[in-house]
Amino acid sequence: MKASHPRRRLLLGLLATPFVLAACKDSTPKQAAFSNLEGVNLSSADFGKDFALTDTEGQRRTLADYRGKVVLIFFGFTQCPDVCPTALTRAVDIKEQLGKDGDKIQVLFISVDPERDSNELLRAYMQAFDPGFVALRPTQEELAKTAQDFKVFYQKVPTGSSYTMDHSALTYVYDTHGKLQIALRHTQTTEEAVADLRQVLALSH
């Protein structure tokens, strides 16, 4: 049924009120305005928008599964001697230092060595740091695509009869709306990382 002319004018008038405009504005994620950031400001980046990978329980995951959380994504491998355990230990310390806001943090670990990182190994590796951390195990084809989408470097390096992996060491940080905002440098202390993350957490308030 069509609205009468007076009713149509009333509806148009309501749509133009500041109240309605303010309500629309409130549903839009706040624009990042970081200050004294120790990490890398990626709020204008046009990469790392999403992924579609399988976790150790066989469930397909994307960023949308973690809406409402500040997501930290790190690429690595379980046999990494120092960089990966250091980054994951820092993530544990970050959650602790954030107090109750630590519950809003979700850590995702994407293996760059799915050849050796079985689901069982990745699951045990994550639980050794925090049972809430999630590992994602791509196929080689998925790894190549995801690394390209996130501008991540990885390379197999022969070592005698075995090999190790060289890889990027940034930790990507997404706000609660699933938008990439910053990256934590591997050299940042826990305190510096917490200060940066508080700014990302503030975007959802």
XYZ file of all heavy atoms in Angstrom, residues 79 116 156-164:
85
model
N 58.715 -25.659 14.658
C 60.122 -25.959 14.914
C 60.987 -24.703 14.925
O 62.219 -24.790 14.971
C 60.646 -26.964 13.884
C 59.962 -28.323 14.012
C 60.638 -29.404 13.186
O 61.860 -29.415 13.043
N 59.853 -30.314 12.644
N 55.392 -30.174 7.839
C 55.770 -30.832 9.101
C 54.790 -30.534 10.225
O 54.693 -31.306 11.186
C 57.186 -30.397 9.501
C 58.263 -30.856 8.568
C 59.655 -30.503 9.076
N 59.869 -29.054 9.190
C 61.065 -28.498 9.366
N 62.137 -29.272 9.450
N 61.195 -27.191 9.454
N 61.714 -21.886 2.441
C 62.367 -23.061 2.998
C 63.876 -22.919 2.803
O 64.344 -22.609 1.710
C 61.855 -24.324 2.303
C 62.454 -25.600 2.858
C 61.995 -26.814 2.060
C 60.551 -27.169 2.347
N 60.162 -28.483 1.764
N 64.649 -23.157 3.884
C 66.099 -23.022 3.838
C 66.727 -24.358 4.242
O 66.591 -24.786 5.394
C 66.587 -21.923 4.796
C 68.113 -21.799 4.728
C 65.926 -20.589 4.473
N 67.406 -25.050 3.303
C 68.025 -26.341 3.623
C 69.058 -26.197 4.733
O 69.842 -25.243 4.755
C 68.678 -26.758 2.307
C 67.960 -25.976 1.254
C 67.598 -24.681 1.897
N 69.058 -27.164 5.674
C 70.066 -27.210 6.745
C 70.510 -28.660 6.894
O 69.881 -29.433 7.608
C 69.499 -26.700 8.079
O 68.340 -27.477 8.402
C 69.113 -25.240 8.003
N 71.590 -29.045 6.229
C 72.055 -30.423 6.271
C 71.040 -31.342 5.615
O 70.621 -31.120 4.480
N 70.579 -32.343 6.378
C 69.585 -33.285 5.847
C 68.160 -32.811 6.078
O 67.210 -33.493 5.694
C 69.770 -34.652 6.517
O 69.613 -34.536 7.927
N 67.982 -31.676 6.701
C 66.646 -31.163 6.998
C 66.488 -29.757 6.419
O 67.171 -29.392 5.461
C 66.412 -31.158 8.507
O 65.087 -30.784 8.812
N 65.628 -28.965 7.007
C 65.453 -27.579 6.564
C 64.854 -26.758 7.696
O 64.304 -27.292 8.669
C 64.549 -27.509 5.325
C 63.103 -27.892 5.564
C 62.152 -26.947 5.940
C 62.676 -29.213 5.404
C 60.824 -27.299 6.142
C 61.362 -29.580 5.605
C 60.436 -28.623 5.977
O 59.115 -28.987 6.189
N 64.974 -25.458 7.576
C 64.272 -24.530 8.460
C 63.478 -23.564 7.588
O 63.509 -23.671 6.356
C 65.254 -23.780 9.382
O 64.504 -23.010 10.338
C 66.153 -22.850 8.582
